[in-house]
Amino acid sequence: MPEACIFCRIASGELPVALIAENDHGVVFRDLHPQAPAHLLVIPRRHVASLAEATDGAELGALLLLAADAARAVGLADRGYRVVANTGADGGQTVHHLHFHILGGRAMHWPPG
Ligand code: 5GP
Ligand code: ZN
């Protein structure tokens, strides 16, 4: 795990955050700078730099199921929500540890910026 990776430090428990949900493969917590009334991040426990570097389908599947569990846990399931994986420079990725954003609590627009 890269020393400086903030999400590795969160996943390992070194930086304490309130977890919304977790399973064997990942953890879910609230984004520090929410872009919607509900804004959660789903991250794998182990360091994977981005979706482009992901190779483990079981891990990715478990993370998406975890995203659905977390959305349900915070009451987003009925009205819906958006799941986003910003990937690489053009994708707007700023933290280089794979994460899925869950955004909800308001209507999302399309196309995104
Ligand atoms: P990206 O821009 O890479 O798709 O998303 C990174 C997200 O991580 C941003 O929405 C940012 O607000 C969030 N973030 C960055 N550092 C921290 C942190 O230390 N704690 C939490 N909870 N969120 C963070
Ligand atoms: Zn990491």
Side-chain angles (χ1 to χ4, degrees):
M1 115 182 181
E3 279 294 295
C5 178
I6 190 87
F7 285 180
C8 278
R9 296 174 67 199
I10 289 173
S12 71
E14 181 192 333
L15 284 182
V17 299
L19 294 186
I20 305 292
E22 61 182 315
N23 66 15
D24 285 352
H25 289 279
V27 301
V28 185
F29 52 94
R30 292 191 187 275
D31 196 291
L32 198 57
H33 302 292
Q35 303 301 317
H39 186 172
L40 312 180
L41 296 171
V42 184
I43 68 170
R45 291 185 185 276
R46 67 186 192 98
H47 185 83
V48 177
S50 81
L51 187 60
E53 278 80 28
T55 55
D56 185 337
E59 178 180 49
L60 286 176
L63 291 172
L64 286 174
L65 289 173
L66 182 60
D69 287 345
R72 205 172 293 115
V74 300
L76 296 177
D78 283 350
R79 290 189 58 86
Y81 53 90
R82 183 170 292 172
V83 177
V84 175
N86 296 329
T87 304
D90 275 4
Q93 184 177 4
T94 60
V95 175
H96 298 282
H97 178 127
L98 173 64
H99 50 282
F100 295 101
H101 297 258
I102 303 172
L103 297 148
R106 65 168 169 83
M108 296 295 143
H109 304 292
W110 195 263

